[in-house]
Amino acid sequence: MDWSIVEQYLPLYQKAFFLTLHIAVWGILGSFLLGLIVSIIRHYRIPILAQVATAYIELSRNTPLLIQLFFLYFGLPRIGIVLSSEVCATLGLVFLGGSYMAESFRSGLETVSQTLAIGLTPLQVFQYVVLPQATAVALPSFSANVIFLIKETSVFSAVALADLMYVAKDLIGLYYETDIALAMLVIAYLIMLLPISL
């Protein structure tokens, strides 16, 4: 292993690591919010919106993130909407992750029995009684989804984002140091994912 190349590329990997982590965090937070809204719509079967939410889940879960990113990055400019690589990556992660989080929330909501509480409005019952119980039930699924979404960030380089995979491919292309590039890539993802797994 050529340690001079490792030393040369380590700052680039560090920068790419924090960029990838930054987008992953915002994407996951957006996924939680979108997933909660979609799960509530489906659980309470709100007319029209429930059908839209179901269609969104089917579209999101049955198309690859890469195709979704291509639509955002290359397709939207055709109708005059130009987004940066970072925004496309974040929106793509939210769009994909929202459907998985919605199913996690919905499975949690379905395990909680219909609850009545004296002196509480239906909204307060949902906020203070139903949602905490549903979240506790769905927690393992949430954790799995977070790990899944972080791993999905590996396709961001397809929209010219200088993430971890982009830097690894750059190192391989310039120096043909595949072993070093992939070892540094694996270590970077392990640093991100192992704490969540544990």
Side-chain angles (χ1 to χ4, degrees), residues 4-192:
S4 64
I5 294 177
V6 173
E7 187 177 350
Q8 177 184 344
Y9 263 77
L10 190 57
L12 293 175
Y13 269 90
Q14 288 175 333
K15 185 177 179 181
F17 175 88
F18 287 112
L19 175 63
T20 303
L21 187 61
H22 174 79
I23 292 172
V25 167
W26 282 110
I28 290 164
L29 290 175
S31 298
F32 273 117
L33 181 60
L34 180 59
L36 177 60
I37 293 168
V38 171
S39 66
I40 290 170
I41 289 170
R42 294 192 72 204
H43 181 70
Y44 290 103
R45 296 179 176 84
I46 299 172
I48 301 172
L49 291 180
Q51 287 79 13
V52 172
T54 300
Y56 152 68
I57 287 174
E58 293 303 322
L59 175 65
S60 173
R61 292 180 63 153
N62 292 297
T63 54
L65 177 58
L66 186 60
I67 303 300
Q68 296 167 11
L69 290 175
F70 280 174
F71 174 78
L72 292 169
Y73 193 72
F74 299 111
L76 290 183
R78 306 274 296 183
I79 59 172
I81 302 172
V82 179
L83 303 173
S84 69
S85 297
E86 287 187 35
V87 172
C88 286
T90 305
L91 289 178
L93 210 57
V94 170
F95 184 79
L96 177 67
S99 61
Y100 284 90
M101 295 300 181
E103 290 300 280
S104 296
F105 271 119
R106 192 167 70 93
S107 66
L109 288 171
E110 288 176 355
T111 62
V112 179
S113 60
Q114 294 297 319
T115 307
L116 295 175
I118 296 173
L120 295 179
T121 66
L123 180 60
Q124 289 173 325
V125 170
F126 178 80
Q127 182 179 356
Y128 297 115
V129 180
V130 175
L131 187 58
Q133 291 181 64
T135 302
V137 169
L139 194 58
S141 179
F142 290 150
S143 301
N145 289 339
V146 167
I147 291 170
F148 163 73
L149 291 174
I150 292 174
K151 289 192 290 187
E152 284 294 296
T153 63
S154 61
V155 302
F156 288 168
S157 61
V159 291
L161 188 70
D163 68 335
L164 286 166
M165 186 62 76
Y166 184 96
V167 173
K169 289 194 294 188
D170 192 38
L171 178 54
I172 292 169
L174 285 175
Y175 297 104
Y176 302 103
E177 293 287 354
T178 306
D179 295 345
I180 295 174
L182 294 180
M184 293 175 75
L185 183 64
V186 167
I187 290 168
Y189 272 106
L190 283 175
I191 291 170
M192 265 193 279

